């Protein structure tokens, strides 16, 4: 192939997604690799570097065709220094200068950011929040990831740690959260919590997909669980909406597939409780880019040289 391309990577707890993008952020090709065999940071970094080299080769490209590599990572990142502070779900990482290491190994320009920030950037530029000036994007899964767009830019703060909507407490006290806090939104509406609640109610294991289908088939117990999730998410959003007055809240991730029942309850809660001017100018929308949002956001990060 000829021309310029971008490689983007979405690193999760168990696998690595690679994508080849053109400069208009169309995904031309994707690959998923398991990372479970790589326990130590050095071996995982080696696997990432090798996967980039292989990806370039299998697409009949050379390094001069690659504008850069963008990585979305599951933890707090110092975007300026290209440093991984730590990963909550991958042990062993402590202030690793991943950008410098990968640039040396691959000879390519490398840019890093938190995965939820990049998903938000993707949805903001090319997904459900396009056209907004201020937006909050949430992705609901095992954790609750989020990013905040203020005046058309990702709001990262001086620490690059801003935008953690999943760790807004919604109660004075409550279950312990992975982040070190208590009663965070994430411990109430993360996958595992919803599944645990469903297990209690139905007295058997039940997946989120099944819980959604049951609710769509008017099962009252399932409906009740989704309404509770919607209210909890809604309450947390009321606080965010009153504080930031975004025109747009975008909700994606596996849990968002519950669809209308969840969105109706979130909207009902927010429009009832948020302050009137904030509520009047707000739309609550479903994410549009699905699991590609982070890969697309990482492409934007590369093309704009990390200055997003
Ligand atoms: Zn937390």
């Amino acid at each position: 192939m000829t021309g310029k391309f971008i490689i983007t990577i979405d690193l999760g707890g168990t696998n690595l997604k690679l994508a080849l993008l053109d400069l208009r952020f169309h995904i031309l090709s994707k690959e998923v690799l398991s990372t479970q065999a790589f326990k130590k940071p050095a071996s995982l970094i080696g696997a990432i570097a090798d996967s980039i080299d292989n990806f370039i080769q299998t697409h009949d490209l050379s390094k001069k065709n690659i504008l850069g590599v963008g990585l979305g990572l599951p933890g707090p990142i110092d975007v300026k220094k290209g440093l991984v502070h730590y990963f909550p779900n991958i042990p062993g990482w402590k202030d690793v200068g991943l950008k410098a290491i990968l640039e040396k190994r691959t000879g390519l320009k490398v840019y890093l950011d938190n995965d939820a920030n990049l998903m938000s950037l993707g949805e903001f530029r090319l997904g459900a929040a396009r056209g907004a000036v201020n937006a909050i994007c949430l992705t609901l899964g095992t954790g609750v990831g989020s990013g905040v767009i203020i005046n058309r830019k990702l709001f990262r703060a001086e620490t690059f740690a801003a935008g953690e909507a999943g760790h807004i407490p919604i109660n004075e006290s409550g279950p312990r959260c992975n982040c070190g806090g208590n009663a965070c939104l994430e411990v109430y509406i993360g996958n595992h919590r919803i599944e645990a609640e469903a297990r209690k109610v139905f007295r058997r294991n039940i997946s989120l997909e099944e819980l959604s289908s049951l609710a769509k088939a008017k099962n009252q117990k399932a409906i009740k669980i989704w309404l509770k999730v919607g209210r909890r998410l809604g309450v947390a959003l009321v606080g965010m909406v009153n504080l930031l007055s975004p025109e747009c809240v975008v909700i994606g991730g596996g849990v968002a597939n519950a669809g209308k029942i969840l969105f109706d309850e979130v909207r009902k809660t927010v429009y009832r409780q948020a302050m009137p001017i904030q509520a009047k100018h707000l739309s609550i929308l479903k994410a549009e880019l699905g699991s590609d949002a982070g890969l697309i956001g990482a492409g934007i990060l590369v093309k704009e040289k990390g200055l997003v």
Side-chain angles (χ1 to χ4, degrees):
M1 287 205 282
T2 55
K4 285 277 187 193
F5 301 91
I6 297 169
I7 291 176
T8 63
I9 292 177
D10 188 356
L11 179 71
T14 53
N15 62 39
L16 178 88
K17 277 193 281 182
L18 280 122
L20 186 71
L21 276 67
D22 65 19
L23 298 190
R24 297 173 66 200
F25 313 116
H26 296 119
I27 295 182
L28 306 173
S29 163
K30 266 198 283 192
E31 191 179 311
V32 182
L33 300 168
S34 169
T35 53
Q36 272 166 319
F38 308 105
K39 298 284 177 225
K40 294 218 168 92
S43 61
L44 183 53
I45 294 169
I48 294 171
D50 290 346
S51 70
I52 294 168
D53 285 342
N54 291 338
F55 204 55
I56 292 171
Q57 266 181 23
T58 51
H59 289 89
D60 216 9
L61 291 165
S62 77
K63 286 192 175 167
K64 62 177 191 311
N65 297 113
I66 306 299
L67 188 66
V69 179
L71 285 97
L73 301 161
I77 306 299
D78 185 322
V79 175
K80 221 173 187 170
K81 293 184 182 150
L83 202 73
V84 175
H85 288 303
Y86 63 92
F87 292 139
N89 298 313
I90 308 176
W93 290 69
K94 174 108 183 57
D95 293 332
V96 177
L98 183 61
K99 176 183 164 77
I101 299 170
L102 279 180
E103 286 188 338
K104 205 168 157 208
R105 278 283 311 260
T106 61
L108 295 166
K109 271 277 175 208
V110 173
Y111 301 92
L112 320 177
D113 204 344
N114 170 266
D115 52 7
N117 272 354
L118 294 180
M119 284 175 213
S120 306
L121 185 61
E123 286 293 340
F124 169 64
R125 293 288 187 85
L126 297 164
R130 65 190 177 277
V133 177
N134 303 290
I136 298 169
C137 301
L138 300 167
T139 170
L140 313 180
T142 308
V144 175
S146 62
V148 175
I149 309 284
I150 296 179
N151 289 333
R152 298 193 175 89
K153 282 187 80 110
L154 260 177
F155 178 69
R156 295 189 172 95
E158 290 301 296
T159 57
F160 302 99
E164 294 286 351
H167 300 282
I168 293 178
I170 57 168
N171 267 321
E172 209 177 319
S173 62
R176 192 99 185 127
C177 179
N178 277 342
C179 75
N182 283 83
C184 295
L185 177 64
E186 180 170 303
V187 299
Y188 292 104
I189 68 160
N191 278 353
H192 298 314
R193 176 63 186 248
I194 301 173
E195 281 163 0
E197 226 159 302
R199 201 154 45 231
K200 227 166 44 192
V201 172
F202 289 91
R203 294 167 195 269
R204 65 179 175 90
N205 284 335
I206 191 161
S207 68
L208 290 185
E209 292 75 29
E210 192 185 353
L211 194 64
S212 293
S213 343
L214 283 170
K216 280 171 195 152
K218 305 263 183 286
N219 178 298
Q220 290 306 308
K221 289 178 188 167
I223 288 175
K224 225 170 131 186
I225 293 173
W226 285 119
L227 292 181
K228 207 184 220 179
V229 172
R231 271 195 302 277
R232 285 168 163 170
L233 176 55
V235 164
L237 280 174
V238 168
M240 298 180 227
V241 164
N242 285 349
L243 180 68
L244 298 173
S245 194
E247 310 92 77
C248 187
V249 168
V250 175
I251 303 172
V255 174
N257 292 334
K260 191 174 182 315
I261 180 157
L262 178 70
F263 277 80
D264 282 354
E265 191 64 13
V266 170
R267 290 191 180 107
K268 207 168 104 187
T269 306
V270 174
Y271 289 122
R272 190 176 54 212
Q273 292 190 39
M275 296 170 78
I277 295 170
Q278 285 90 325
K280 193 176 153 200
H281 292 90
L282 172 71
S283 301
I284 298 174
L285 305 169
K286 191 164 192 296
E288 287 178 4
L289 303 180
S291 57
D292 289 338
L295 293 167
I296 292 169
I300 298 168
L301 186 76
V302 171
K303 193 171 173 194
E304 297 180 13
K305 300 184 167 54
L307 303 171
V308 283

